[in-house]
Amino acid sequence: MTIEVDYRFPPNINAEKQAKTIAVGQTAGTWNANFSHRETQFKQHLGQVISIETDSQGYNIARIHFPELNVENDIPSLLTMIFGKYSMAGMGKVIGVHLPQHYGTRPKFGITGIRQLLGVYDRPLIMAIFKPALGLSAADHGVILEQVANAGLDLIKDDEILGNLAVAPTLKRLECCRKVLETVKENTGKTVLYATNVTGKGYQVLETAKLLVKEGANALLLNVLTYGFSVLEMLANDPEINVPIFAHPAFAGAMCAASETGLSYSVVLGTLMAYSGADAVLYPAHYGSLPFEVTEENKIKEILRSRNVFPVPSAGIRPEIVPQLLADYGTEVVLNSGTGIMDHPDGPASGVKAFFDRLLA
Amino acid sequence: MTIEVDYRFPPNINAEKQAKTIAVGQTAGTWNANFSHRETQFKQHLGQVISIETDSQGYNIARIHFPELNVENDIPSLLTMIFGKYSMAGMGKVIGVHLPQHYGTRPKFGITGIRQLLGVYDRPLIMAIFKPALGLSAADHGVILEQVANAGLDLIKDDEILGNLAVAPTLKRLECCRKVLETVKENTGKTVLYATNVTGKGYQVLETAKLLVKEGANALLLNVLTYGFSVLEMLANDPEINVPIFAHPAFAGAMCAASETGLSYSVVLGTLMAYSGADAVLYPAHYGSLPFEVTEENKIKEILRSRNVFPVPSAGIRPEIVPQLLADYGTEVVLNSGTGIMDHPDGPASGVKAFFDRLLA
């Protein structure tokens, strides 16, 4: 029954002073004699500095305890408390958030649920992305899906920047793709999940998600960080949304790329996603061109798995490195390949086959 | 009919290469001969590098044009496009977003509407914050409000970290405060707005907002950046939410405090808030202890005013500096004072009077 947060401060910052500022300033604040009658209550809301440790680079890491009665069992109120006003002090970075297991929202499906939907239990899942990102028609999506689904693909997703646009409206994409998936199921018995990108202005995002599920979407994709954790929690807690939700990391760099401010990638793409109801979370793999550390990537993977959330490393995932991927990740993982499948010299179907040839070798 | 975004790159980064990466990679992406039949369509979705200029510190600023047909007239789809995946490249900072006036959501009230509600047209408005932040009862809130409202205060808000907590449930705070405000109105004819903090897990946040308005809330406070721009758009576009929405900047530092990554404060607290339906936006004033630049603060103020959104500088706002505040801000501003009012040696009412004594001098 406790919330603990690790803040990392550069050597030139008085970590003890800052930690106290956070423990008090982000909770009850200070009070004067006029409010002495409420002192017992104020004290219950105060944060506490648990420890301050110095790392090998001379950075100080302060661990602060926050009372759970200050927050509402969700991610937005948690973020407001642990880093709301203080984020603007520009002094430190949140590198760890430790929550009780009962906190937040659990995935409806997660690793075990997605495996059950697909009937695949003993190997990494293979996921593709529709490419090019913008400019294909809904019918083009169906044609591509036919190729990769018949080649044995497990999952496919929209590109995260493809919303409900005139060139390929979301419902039309779903319609074209659903027909293909039904045929594949009839012919081969195989289920393929298509994570349809949920977008829409304000309330439309929830309405759209419900409509998509009603119209046969068997998975959803959400840009959690541009729409808000509240939107993920909205979908994850809605009984009508009875399909897995894939969380995309778009915009994560805005809050995680700086070394001395913001939050660690493992906090945002690991802990916060795992406690707000995502069933699977995409994040950059260190094989790609994005500057992503292996240690941070491993933390994300472990945090997600600890909540039964599927880790989906993306970037640089190609058939040629499957043995390396198996050695690095094991089997509880979705391997998400964009160009590795879609730009295969012999076409997307060959890209999918190349993955399975190596995976089942 | 155009979206233009300014990205700033440090001297050691090849700005031209990065700008092209953004213009292509954040829009249509690349395509091969298999898709030549869609080439005309792809080209319509591509971004274009308009200019690259070098500033006095040797940083390069690239301006990129994005087609409006790639997005959905809201902030989340805009952020996904302009900085979704690219934010994780860790190369540059978004320092300007230029949107057509018809884009996004306009405030329902804004400066003119809030002034009409209050019947005050010719001076800055004075706003207070309930303090201490956590631990007061709902009745305590009523007692404090009685003091400041009778002293002539225009607006008051919850502390942003005070959600719907057992110690002072939101509906009970509203009930206690509404009674006080009704009495003040009867006795003096003066309307005082109380911006009640809207919180709640997922869908509850919209239900709570509607319930609060139904129960007599005459203004709302939202932590836009922890709940999500989608939630602000949800409230701003809902006809039942017929009261002004005050946007709080909590968490802004997570995406704005770094000098070479993320987004500028003026983009997040200025442009994005002004185009997602906020009626008034709080942001740190340079008088306070937070490291906030005057130039950035001025940009926020001007961007908000250009959309009829009330700028609410906060931090270091005290009665003693009212002449300076008038000189710096003029009258189209809400002066938000936390400790400046609540910690006045003779009590909160004296804090309010101290402001008006100097304001009307």
Side-chain angles (χ1 to χ4, degrees), chain A residues 25-32 34-35 37-38 41-42 45 69-77 79-81 83-90 103-105 129 131-137 140 144 159-167 170 199-206 223 225-231 233-234 237 248-258 261-263 265 268-269 272 284 290-292 342-343 347-348, chain B residues 25-32 34-35 37-38 41-42 45 69-77 79-81 83-90 103-105 129 131-137 140 144 159-167 170 199-206 223 225-231 233-234 237 248-258 261-263 265 268-269 272 284 290-292 342-343 347-348:
Chain A
Q26 292 291 130
T27 61
T30 52
W31 60 90
N32 59 29
N34 297 337
F35 296 102
H37 64 292
R38 302 287 300 169
Q41 187 72 44
F42 291 140
H45 294 280
L69 80 169
N70 291 4
V71 287
E72 299 182 50
N73 197 29
D74 64 354
I75 298 303
S77 70
L79 287 177
T80 305
M81 174 176 70
F83 209 45
K85 203 178 289 173
Y86 190 79
S87 72
M88 294 183 278
Y103 196 86
T105 302
I129 312 168
K131 298 276 180 188
L134 291 186
L136 294 173
S137 67
D140 289 335
I144 293 170
D159 192 280
E160 80 279 2
I161 59 166
L162 178 57
N164 188 20
L165 306 183
V167 64
T170 309
T199 62
K201 190 175 187 170
Y203 185 62
Q204 286 168 13
V205 71
L206 179 60
N223 291 308
L225 303 173
T226 55
Y227 286 80
F229 279 105
S230 195
V231 175
E233 290 170 337
M234 205 173 284
N237 286 289
H248 195 277
F251 201 63
M255 44 190 91
C256 304
T261 56
L263 308 91
Y265 279 113
V268 172
L269 301 179
L272 302 182
L290 298 175
F292 221 72
M342 291 298 163
D343 289 356
Chain B
Q26 292 292 131
T27 61
T30 52
W31 59 89
N32 58 29
N34 297 336
F35 295 101
H37 64 292
R38 303 288 299 170
Q41 188 72 44
F42 291 139
H45 294 281
L69 81 168
N70 292 3
V71 288
E72 299 182 49
N73 197 29
D74 64 355
I75 297 304
S77 69
L79 286 177
T80 305
M81 175 177 69
F83 209 45
K85 201 178 291 173
Y86 191 79
S87 71
M88 295 183 277
Y103 196 86
T105 302
I129 311 169
K131 300 274 180 189
L134 291 186
L136 295 174
S137 68
D140 289 335
I144 293 171
D159 192 279
E160 80 279 2
I161 60 166
L162 178 57
N164 188 21
L165 305 183
V167 63
T170 309
T199 63
K201 190 174 184 169
Y203 185 63
Q204 286 168 11
V205 70
L206 178 60
N223 290 309
L225 304 174
T226 56
Y227 287 80
F229 279 106
S230 195
V231 175
E233 290 170 337
M234 206 173 284
N237 286 289
H248 195 278
F251 201 62
M255 46 190 90
C256 304
T261 56
L263 308 90
Y265 279 112
V268 172
L269 301 179
L272 301 183
L290 297 175
F292 222 72
M342 291 299 162
D343 289 357

Side-chain angles (χ1 to χ4, degrees), chain A residues 115 123-125 283 305 310-313 329-335:
Chain A
R115 285 200 177 284
R123 59 165 174 81
L125 303 177
Y283 56 88
R305 282 178 180 166
F310 239 136
V312 191
Y329 297 144
T331 54
E332 292 300 56
V333 71
V334 177
L335 301 175

